[in-house]
Amino acid sequence: QVEVDENGKIVDARFKTFGCGSAIASSSLATEWVKGKTVDEALKIKNTDIAKELCLPPVKLHCSMLAEDAIKAALADYRLKQDPNKEEPEK
């Protein structure tokens, strides 16, 4: 979940993660990184950046992918709630 102010900046972010320490660390880092960014800036955060920052081993890279997917999902939900008449973009 994200909270965005009237200027379009993310002021708070929260997560609920079930899984290993790498999954929790990836989610936690993602929430810290999105705070203070605009929605567009936050969408530029990539799982490779998260994995590199946490020094995740190759077997745990999927944890950083889940964090990136969570950012995208939270921001898509935010945008949908801002303009419910607008359809989701094609993937």
Side-chain angles (χ1 to χ4, degrees), residues 1-2 15 20 33 43 49-51 53 59 61 70 75 86:
Q1 296 176 339
V2 291
F15 71 96
C20 65
W33 277 2
L43 286 170
D49 301 325
I50 295 169
E53 180 71 18
V59 71
L61 290 181
L75 296 175
K86 187 177 179 182

Side-chain angles (χ1 to χ4, degrees), residues 2 10 24 29 45 53-54 66 90:
V2 291
I10 299 170
I24 295 167
L29 182 63
I45 296 172
E53 180 71 18
L54 296 174
L66 291 171
E90 293 290 322

